[in-house]
Amino acid sequence: MKILVVEDEQLLANALRLFLESRGFTVDTVYDGKSAVEYAGLGIYDLVILDIMLPGLDGYQVTRQLRAARNGVPILMLTARSDVADRIEGLDAGADYYLPKPFDTRELLACVNALLRRQGEQVEEIAFGNTVLDLAACTLQCGEHMVRLSAREFEVMRLLMQTQGRNLPKETLLARVWGYDSNAVENHVEVYVGFLRKKLRSIGSDIQIKAVRRLGYHLEVAEHAETAAD
Ligand code: CA
């Protein structure tokens, strides 16, 4: 599990990193709002821990920019400002949870685990349109019809379905399915999306995998499954 910590107080940022690493997380740290948007925009993090008072963009602006870019990464906001109006502004901007400073590390850990769980670690299937992805069997099902997915097809489909219609950059798919170290290129993503489109059609699914130039892929539900080819 990979966490991005955004906190301009470097001592606190380091303490958070060390604490989370000691609990088995991989942690990157950035110290200002602009870097936060860039890093979180890579789509490789399972969670962002975000301070509100930051140089450049503040935590609210960072959250709004990420959500406007259809980035659904769970965001845990940290702040010394603990009145209700601030909390509401944070949640309105699209944060998932709000933890006032100072906090106990056990409380932080409980929040982190809750948000990561909520992201779907224990879910057994994900539905979109008329189609269900079975996470244990690695199959796509639509009514009576079912098709088995290869390991890579499954990973690509899972990420697309988890984002529930929001955009998923091609680089994110590449990094999360093939890993940064592999020799895979963006073409691999296109090939696997092609396989998946074929399999979706074969079971009469109304899911369409839409490609948006330079932005990546997202899912849409077709009006008529029969005309789903694109
Ligand atoms: Ca701060």
Side-chain angles (χ1 to χ4, degrees):
M1 287 285 169
K2 211 162 158 56
I3 298 180
L4 179 67
V5 170
V6 188
E7 168 62 75
D8 59 319
E9 291 164 54
Q10 303 216 357
L11 281 177
L12 179 56
N14 274 333
L16 280 172
R17 183 174 56 77
L18 290 174
F19 170 71
L20 291 167
E21 283 176 352
S22 77
R23 291 299 188 279
F25 296 102
T26 307
V27 181
D28 288 333
T29 322
V30 293
Y31 308 103
D32 65 275
K34 207 163 163 274
S35 310
V37 172
E38 279 168 24
Y39 275 69
L42 295 172
I44 58 171
Y45 297 100
D46 299 292
L47 175 73
V48 176
I49 298 179
L50 180 64
D51 188 30
I52 291 184
M53 301 299 281
L54 293 166
L57 305 171
D58 67 24
Y60 303 128
Q61 292 169 310
V62 169
T63 303
R64 284 204 188 87
Q65 288 200 10
L66 290 173
R67 296 306 187 230
R70 296 178 167 230
N71 185 320
V73 65
I75 295 175
L76 172 58
M77 272 196 170
L78 299 180
T79 188
R81 295 157 58 173
S82 62
D83 62 63
V84 177
D86 287 335
R87 205 148 51 211
I88 291 172
E89 185 172 358
L91 297 174
D92 264 359
D96 296 274
Y97 200 79
Y98 180 99
L99 192 60
K101 290 182 195 170
F103 49 82
D104 187 298
T105 48
R106 283 169 305 182
E107 194 183 2
L108 174 76
L109 192 61
C111 289
V112 166
N113 285 328
L115 287 171
L116 290 174
R117 264 201 307 278
R118 205 196 285 173
Q119 209 193 359
E121 284 306 298
Q122 293 173 338
V123 176
E124 279 161 13
E125 54 180 46
I126 312 176
F128 193 85
N130 63 3
T131 307
V132 171
L133 178 68
D134 185 318
L135 300 183
C138 297
T139 55
L140 274 171
Q141 272 170 279
C142 176
E144 307 270 276
H145 303 286
M146 191 256 277
V147 65
R148 194 167 299 281
L149 303 182
S150 73
R152 287 261 156 84
E153 288 168 350
F154 171 75
E155 283 302 317
V156 172
M157 198 63 211
R158 185 173 63 87
L159 289 169
L160 283 168
M161 286 185 89
Q162 274 177 347
T163 55
Q164 292 280 313
R166 291 187 304 272
N167 195 66
L168 195 59
K170 219 186 245 185
E171 308 82 70
T172 305
L173 278 166
L174 204 56
R176 295 192 63 163
V177 178
W178 282 268
Y180 277 126
D181 300 332
S182 79
N183 293 318
V185 288
E186 291 192 1
N187 186 30
H188 286 58
V189 180
E190 285 162 30
V191 169
Y192 277 85
V193 165
F195 292 159
L196 283 168
R197 283 179 174 145
K198 211 170 279 176
K199 289 195 170 177
L200 286 165
R201 274 197 297 269
S202 78
I203 57 169
S205 170
D206 62 1
I207 295 180
Q208 288 184 296
I209 305 177
K210 291 284 188 183
V212 182
R213 227 174 128 229
R214 279 196 289 275
L215 282 179
Y217 295 98
H218 66 271
L219 300 183
E220 277 181 24
V221 175
E223 298 275 317
H224 305 288
E226 295 75 17
T227 57
D230 92 290

